[in-house]
Amino acid sequence: MKITLVISSLAGGGAERVLTNMANYFSMHGHEISLLTFDDGRSPSYNITGLVKWNPLNISGVSRSIIEGIIKNLRHIYILRKAILNSSPDCVISFMFTTNIIVLMATRFLSCKVLISERNYPKYIRERRIIWIWLRKILYPLADHLVVQTDSIKEIFRSHNRSVQVIPNPVCIDPERIKDMPEVLLTTCNKIVAMGSLTTQKGFDILIDVFASLYMHYSDWNLIILGEGDLKSELKSRTRELGIEHAVVFAGWVGNPFSIMSRCDLFVLSSRYEGFPNALLEAMCCGLPVVSFDCPTGPRQIIQHGINGLLVPPEDKDKLKRAIQCLMEKKEMRECMGKNAKYVSKRYAPDKIMTKWEKLALGG
């Protein structure tokens, strides 16, 4: 079967990682895979196998006005349609909100099946994207299937498409990658680790404030933050204001986060909202106990409270502090939860998850 996958870029991010893994998995299971991205292809964050035909279209960019945006997007639709036709797909799979809309326009009246997927909690979209929100309501019904990651997101999109399917993210970590030497120098003290883009969504401002209040009494702990983003300077300044800059490591984007996470003691997800957090799954797969805000959506589906991690009310600094402190003080509890956490690798094994995608693509 010929499958064409479409996403804006292969920059570091959860959706990008999942789509890359999907491309590699399908290509190794006998499908002919084309991957179209809107970027220039200069700096992919994830590795693609040689079996996947990757075509970076170099059409991404920022528009300075609504008129310029309309003209650019019409051009994008034309270029994308031409690339899709050249790949002769039986099925097109698109990831991410605005990419889905452009794909639905580009595939209008083509004979191939079209699957679109929302990858985040939709209620936090900025108001200035009202035109895109309107287009989503108009165009999403044209897709053969709309894939989301949780039942609560399915309820939000129930009126957008006649076939809304729930497929969570897969997780699979090569044990050899865990054994690799970490890309950053790790201290011998106890370590909390967090991972994600340095944006408002991920709540690292909350985590830094909470860690600062804990560090006063637990100076043998450090905080390691993996990821890049627009708030990096602001977050670093905050650590200096709180006097903890020597105890917080901004490691940036790393190619192999698993070798770092597996050498830490505790993972914290401080997000204000998610779709289905890859970072949380990957930390648990590495055998880490986790503390997470019970934010929309994903953590509640992944974490069994008190068994493989702890859930706390969204954006509640005091309860986040108490949960982290509990695991800081109780090594046996950390070890027990970490052992239980590894079972997510069976619940969300690639074979289970990709089979669901394959059934939809083939005609399910």
Side-chain angles (χ1 to χ4, degrees), residues 138-172:
I138 298 297
L139 295 172
Y140 269 28
L142 301 177
D144 292 279
H145 301 285
L146 166 58
V147 177
V148 297
Q149 298 157 295
T150 65
D151 287 325
S152 55
I153 296 180
K154 178 178 179 178
E155 288 304 311
I156 295 170
F157 283 109
R158 189 174 287 279
S159 64
H160 285 66
N161 190 277
R162 65 189 180 281
S163 176
V164 184
Q165 306 292 326
V166 176
I167 304 179
N169 289 345
V171 63
C172 181

Side-chain angles (χ1 to χ4, degrees), residues 4 9 17 23 26 59 67 124 155 163 167 189 228 242 263:
T4 296
S9 76
R17 187 191 294 276
F26 283 162
I59 57 174
I67 299 300
Y124 284 83
E155 288 304 311
S163 176
I167 304 179
C189 66
E228 291 287 351
L242 296 169
R263 290 167 171 82

Side-chain angles (χ1 to χ4, degrees), residues 47-227:
N47 294 324
I48 305 164
T49 68
L51 296 172
V52 176
K53 299 173 185 175
W54 178 29
N55 181 7
L57 302 176
N58 195 20
I59 57 174
S60 59
V62 178
S63 301
R64 291 167 292 184
S65 67
I66 292 177
I67 299 300
E68 183 183 355
I70 291 171
I71 293 170
K72 280 187 175 181
N73 281 310
L74 288 172
R75 176 175 171 269
H76 296 171
I77 291 164
Y78 170 77
I79 293 172
L80 178 60
R81 184 181 179 90
K82 188 176 179 180
I84 290 172
L85 285 169
N86 287 338
S87 67
S88 304
D90 301 301
C91 178
V92 174
I93 299 177
S94 169
F95 269 28
M96 312 284 271
F97 170 32
T98 54
T99 302
N100 293 339
I101 291 168
I102 292 172
V103 165
L104 287 168
M105 290 181 176
T107 55
R108 195 74 181 113
F109 304 117
L110 299 186
S111 58
C112 57
K113 179 174 288 191
V114 179
L115 278 59
I116 58 173
S117 182
E118 284 275 344
R119 309 306 297 177
N120 217 329
Y121 189 65
K123 290 190 175 181
Y124 284 83
I125 293 171
R126 296 186 297 274
E127 287 300 317
R128 67 183 179 85
R129 305 191 80 182
I130 192 70
I131 294 175
W132 288 99
I133 294 170
W134 178 77
L135 286 171
R136 180 166 65 183
K137 289 181 179 179
I138 298 297
L139 295 172
Y140 269 28
L142 301 177
D144 292 279
H145 301 285
L146 166 58
V147 177
V148 297
Q149 298 157 295
T150 65
D151 287 325
S152 55
I153 296 180
K154 178 178 179 178
E155 288 304 311
I156 295 170
F157 283 109
R158 189 174 287 279
S159 64
H160 285 66
N161 190 277
R162 65 189 180 281
S163 176
V164 184
Q165 306 292 326
V166 176
I167 304 179
N169 289 345
V171 63
C172 181
I173 298 173
D174 183 351
E176 293 303 313
R177 299 196 73 195
I178 291 176
K179 297 175 186 176
D180 286 347
M181 285 294 293
E183 296 168 52
V184 297
L185 181 64
L186 299 177
T187 60
T188 56
C189 66
N190 293 314
K191 294 173 280 292
I192 296 170
V193 64
M195 183 168 71
S197 57
L198 306 185
T199 59
T200 302
Q201 174 189 346
K202 301 301 181 179
F204 290 124
D205 55 324
I206 298 172
L207 179 56
I208 286 169
D209 285 353
V210 168
F211 178 73
S213 65
L214 286 165
Y215 187 72
M216 296 169 60
H217 307 286
Y218 301 90
S219 58
D220 57 334
W221 284 76
N222 277 3
L223 171 62
I224 299 172
I225 298 176
L226 307 176

Side-chain angles (χ1 to χ4, degrees), residues 171 173 175 178 191 193 257-267 279-291 307-309 327 331-345:
V171 63
I173 298 173
I178 291 176
K191 294 173 280 292
V193 64
F258 317 121
S259 63
I260 297 172
M261 288 197 289
S262 61
R263 290 167 171 82
C264 294
D265 302 276
L266 170 63
F267 178 88
L280 181 63
L281 278 176
E282 290 162 354
M284 295 173 77
C285 205
C286 287
L288 282 181
V290 296
V291 176
I307 297 174
N308 58 13
L327 288 181
K331 185 177 180 180
E332 287 186 7
M333 181 182 287
R334 293 201 308 269
E335 290 174 350
C336 181
M337 285 187 175
K339 185 178 179 180
N340 293 335
K342 287 186 176 182
Y343 287 101
V344 297
S345 63

Side-chain angles (χ1 to χ4, degrees), residues 257-318:
F258 317 121
S259 63
I260 297 172
M261 288 197 289
S262 61
R263 290 167 171 82
C264 294
D265 302 276
L266 170 63
F267 178 88
V268 178
L269 185 85
S270 54
S271 296
R272 292 177 166 90
Y273 62 96
E274 285 284 348
F276 199 81
N278 280 319
L280 181 63
L281 278 176
E282 290 162 354
M284 295 173 77
C285 205
C286 287
L288 282 181
V290 296
V291 176
S292 173
F293 279 141
D294 187 13
C295 66
T297 63
R300 176 169 288 274
Q301 286 72 35
I302 298 168
I303 295 173
Q304 296 171 282
H305 181 71
I307 297 174
N308 58 13
L310 298 174
L311 286 168
V312 298
E315 299 185 54
D316 190 322
K317 286 186 180 181
D318 184 57

